[in-house]
Amino acid sequence: MMEYYDTFPINILEQSGPIARKPIGFLAHTMKIWENQCCIVDRKINAVIKGDIVNDEMHIELEHIDYRQYILNRLIFKEISLNRDRILWSNDLIIGGHSSSKNVPSFLSLFYQLGDLCKVQFSNQTYLIEFYGSSNGYDLYKQIISNIKWKL
């Protein structure tokens, strides 16, 4: 089945002008990890991916995702691009992406369908990690979690 995503004008590393940086909130229900084009993990999950903008950088936090051998739970991406079907965050894109170790992704791709974030993808030279889910309902989730923490 072919997946169709919202499209964006190509604007690599903001060469065609500034790109708005927006935080993300994503409720993931499925995770797939690929190595050498083979799927090595395909699991249903109940997880959250939060992305905050700090000093024009995307600071990512993965919650309820314990796969540190493949991906760290806290990540930072410094560069932003628009590339056809995704918003691409990267580190050192010009030199092919920088990854300090195999569990640190070089790239973060955000895929949208009708304005809803539906797939979050991390990649480097070793792994491609995909999370499927939705940004719909994230604000409600955030409110519930805040209320629970406040009552504790």
Side-chain angles (χ1 to χ4, degrees):
M1 183 173 109
M2 187 71 159
E3 296 173 325
Y4 293 97
Y5 300 108
D6 297 351
T7 57
F8 303 94
I10 295 175
N11 185 358
I12 305 299
L13 298 175
E14 300 182 285
Q15 292 177 354
S16 298
I19 300 169
R21 290 158 165 76
K22 297 179 182 175
I24 62 166
F26 186 73
L27 303 173
H29 59 67
T30 304
M31 179 175 104
K32 292 183 179 185
I33 301 176
W34 301 80
E35 182 179 22
N36 297 324
Q37 299 180 356
C38 294
C39 187
I40 59 173
V41 174
D42 186 352
R43 297 242 163 85
K44 296 288 182 198
I45 60 172
N46 187 13
V48 174
I49 300 173
K50 294 188 321 185
D52 291 314
I53 304 300
V54 178
N55 298 324
D56 284 339
E57 300 173 339
M58 176 66 82
H59 288 240
I60 294 289
E61 184 177 339
L62 306 177
E63 295 181 1
H64 312 295
I65 301 169
D66 191 18
Y67 287 85
R68 286 186 188 99
Q69 70 269 36
Y70 303 110
I71 188 168
L72 295 181
N73 287 347
R74 294 184 190 277
L75 305 161
I76 297 174
F77 297 91
K78 298 177 181 179
E79 307 162 339
I80 189 170
S81 299
L82 300 178
N83 193 5
R84 293 191 178 108
D85 63 352
R86 71 194 70 196
I87 296 174
L88 176 67
W89 284 90
S90 57
N91 291 313
D92 298 322
L93 179 64
I94 292 296
I95 61 169
H98 171 72
S99 179
S100 57
S101 84
K102 68 183 202 173
N103 64 346
V104 176
S106 305
F107 306 104
L108 162 64
S109 295
L110 305 174
F111 296 87
Y112 293 81
Q113 288 179 329
L114 300 174
D116 178 37
L117 181 60
C118 63
K119 181 167 97 172
V120 175
Q121 184 182 77
F122 297 92
S123 59
N124 63 16
Q125 298 85 345
T126 308
Y127 301 116
L128 172 68
I129 303 170
E130 298 175 312
F131 294 95
Y132 293 88
S134 178
S135 59
N136 287 333
Y138 177 76
D139 291 334
L140 180 60
Y141 165 84
K142 202 162 71 170
Q143 288 175 1
I144 292 168
I145 292 302
S146 294
N147 287 338
I148 291 171
K149 288 179 181 175
W150 184 80
K151 289 178 182 179
L152 294 177

